[in-house]
């Protein structure tokens, strides 16, 4: 019994020590809309993300106005007409890496993971589950994922006249290098 | 008895720890968000989309086109609505202006145009002197300066008299003070000075002042109602002219903006609609018209 107790104690202590959180304030998220008329892309390089390497918790947060386009007018319309970024300034994801135990954060390599949680865009929250990769190099973790979202799911209306210019499904690419530790 | 209680205590510690670990992630995230928000507050955010395009109806708005953006504008004013069915309510006749605006920087744009109305060429630049902003630098208004020169190439009315080339020139200086009050509501004031080298009557002044007021109210994300009025003092205006009043819609679809409007002015350059408007709304001297704007991005932004 004593042995068991000390084991338990060691475990709980170990928990405190290795409760590792890595985070970043300058992750990258891009999106890409492919349509017969034109391709539209934008990039946000100020994505905040926190990963708990022990529990597998993973969160993302970004300011919608941080997305930048090649065309000034597109950026204006994106904020004004589609994302209503004054009304809904943030997009967030709160979820878990479901198989985080299979990732060895001490060993370099690429680990395929599955992430699921709540994705909030344009004030609308949906449960999503997407595949991703956790890349470990010299003890630094990078999260990479590409997935698609349907605009209609998040109440983002596309008027008929520009229907051919904007894809129904937008491809979102995430790349966050967790350069900070806590 | 003693040992199980320690056991439970330890179990509790362990479970509490898992819970705090989860909250930590959220806490850390809100901490990061707060940090970014305060960084935002310490930078300046310039107000965008005060108006949908660079023209309100006839005149300019405080808006500029972005750097490297070419905006091709085609504007029509049909004949008077009171022309009746014979003239198809004015649609038989039209004056037209073709023009192009280009953004040299985000604060400076230049434009040229040619109007069939008195065969007039015009050129202007628009400089944003102040920009409405929040954050670190707070500015309640946008202030723009728009000088325009117009060249009337119509043959001289009386070729027998001594005509001077300088008589063809018209100059307009306009300040535009605009503010976006809310997502849907924007207003602007436009003090306007015009100079013409030649006047019709000896007692008319070459220099005229007018004060314009205009605004828009969005009725949906992509449609707004616009109105524009230029006031001239009754003692300082050309004979037989009246104040210009126009009302219309902006309909925006991606790279295009369609503007449909009714106005008592037929001309589309500053000196014509500000100082030479003759139509009376109450008599039905109303011109239906439209502007079409198509934007092309030429230069790269980044």
């Amino acid at each position: 019994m004593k042995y068991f107790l000390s084991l338990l104690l060691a475990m709980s202590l170990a928990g405190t020590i290795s409760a590792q959180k890595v985070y970043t304030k300058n992750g990258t998220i891009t999106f890409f809309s492919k349509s017969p008329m034109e391709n539209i892309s934008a990039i946000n390089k100020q994505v905040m993300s926190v990963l708990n390497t022990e529990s597998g918790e993973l969160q993302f947060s970004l300011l919608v106005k941080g997305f930048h386009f090649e065309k000034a007018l597109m950026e204006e319309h994106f904020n004004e007409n589609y994302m209503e970024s004054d009304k809904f300034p943030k997009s967030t994801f709160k979820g878990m890496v479901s198989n985080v135990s299979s990732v060895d954060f001490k060993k370099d390599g690429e680990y395929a993971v599955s992430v699921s949680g709540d994705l909030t865009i344009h004030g609308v929250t949906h449960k999503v589950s997407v595949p991703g990769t956790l890349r470990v190099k010299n003890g630094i973790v990078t999260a990479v994922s590409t997935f698609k979202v349907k605009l209609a799911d998040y109440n983002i209306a596309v008027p008929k006249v520009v229907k051919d210019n904007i894809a129904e499904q937008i491809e979102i690419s995430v790349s966050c290098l967790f350069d900070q530790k806590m | 008895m003693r040992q199980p209680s320690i056991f439970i205590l330890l179990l509790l510690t362990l479970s509490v720890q898992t819970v705090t670990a989860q909250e930590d992630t959220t806490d850390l995230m809100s901490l990061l968000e707060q940090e970014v928000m305060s960084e935002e507050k310490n930078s300046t955010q310039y107000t965008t989309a005060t108006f949908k395009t660079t023209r309100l109806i006839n005149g300019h708005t405080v808006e500029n086109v972005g750097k490297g953006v070419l905006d091709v504008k085609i504007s029509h004013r049909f004949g008077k609505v009171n022309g009746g069915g014979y003239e198809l309510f004015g649609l038989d006749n039209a004056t037209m202006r073709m023009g192009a605006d280009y953004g040299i920087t985000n604060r400076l744009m230049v434009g040229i145009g040619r109007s069939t109305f008195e065969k007039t060429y015009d050129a202007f630049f628009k400089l944003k002197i102040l920009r409405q902003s929040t954050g670190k630098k707070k500015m309640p208004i946008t202030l723009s300066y728009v000088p325009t020169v117009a060249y009337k190439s119509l043959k001289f009315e009386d070729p027998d008299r001594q005509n001077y080339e300088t008589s063809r020139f018209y100059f307009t200086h306009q300040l535009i003070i605009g503010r976006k009050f809310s997502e849907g509501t924007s207003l602007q004031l436009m003090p306007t000075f015009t100079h013409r080298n030649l006047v019709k009557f000896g007692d008319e002044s070459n220099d005229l002042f007018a004060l314009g007021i205009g605004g828009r109210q969005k009725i949906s994300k992509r449609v707004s109602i616009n109105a524009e009025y230029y006031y001239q003092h009754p003692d300082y205006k050309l004979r037989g002219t009246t104040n210009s009043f126009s009302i219309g819609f902006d309909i925006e679809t991606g790279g295009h903006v369609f503007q449909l409007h009714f106005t008592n002015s037929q001309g589309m350059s500053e000196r014509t609609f500000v100082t030479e408007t003759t139509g009376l709304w109450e008599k039905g001297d109303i011109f239906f018209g439209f502007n079409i704007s198509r934007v092309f991005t030429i230069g790269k932004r980044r």
Side-chain angles (χ1 to χ4, degrees), chain A residues 16 25 61 70 75 77 80, chain B residues 17 33 35 218 254 300:
Chain A
T16 335
K25 279 200 297 179
S61 178
E70 208 167 273
E75 193 168 314
H77 292 164
E80 204 195 353
Chain B
Q17 208 155 13
E33 283 178 345
E35 226 174 282
K218 274 166 104 176
K300 289 267 176 203

Side-chain angles (χ1 to χ4, degrees), chain B residues 68-99:
Chain B
V69 173
L70 180 74
D71 185 359
V72 175
K73 286 184 181 293
I74 313 279
S75 310
H76 274 74
R77 298 294 178 271
F78 292 103
K80 289 176 185 173
V81 173
N82 64 5
Y86 181 66
E87 300 264 341
L88 199 60
F89 304 98
L91 296 189
D92 279 358
N93 305 303
T95 57
M96 196 258 294
R97 180 185 180 272
M98 273 191 305

Side-chain angles (χ1 to χ4, degrees), chain A residues 43-70:
Chain A
I43 184 162
N44 189 327
K45 290 182 180 171
Q46 288 149 310
V47 178
M48 296 163 268
S49 182
V50 179
L51 169 68
N52 187 322
T53 53
E54 198 194 15
S55 68
E57 276 174 288
L58 181 60
Q59 299 197 359
F60 292 92
S61 178
L62 61 82
L63 290 174
V64 178
K65 279 198 171 163
F67 276 106
H68 295 299
F69 293 68
E70 208 167 273

Side-chain angles (χ1 to χ4, degrees), chain A residues 1-10, chain B residues 3:
Chain A
M1 193 67 192
K2 272 233 167 95
Y3 178 70
F4 180 71
L5 271 179
S6 50
L7 185 72
L8 211 56
L9 186 72
Chain B
Q3 286 212 336

Side-chain angles (χ1 to χ4, degrees), chain B residues 208-260:
Chain B
L208 293 170
F209 280 102
L211 179 64
I213 181 165
R216 73 114 184 239
Q217 175 62 48
K218 274 166 104 176
I219 52 174
S220 80
K221 270 186 230 168
R222 292 172 182 84
V223 180
S224 73
I225 296 179
N226 298 354
E228 184 181 57
Y229 179 71
Y230 280 90
Y231 173 80
Q232 301 181 94
H233 192 277
D235 295 339
Y236 300 93
K237 61 182 191 183
L238 302 178
R239 231 166 261 181
T241 63
T242 183
N243 294 335
S244 170
F245 176 71
S246 320
I247 187 156
F249 291 96
D250 276 6
I251 302 161
E252 174 238 293
T253 63
H256 289 95
V257 178
F258 299 95
Q259 299 184 297
L260 307 174

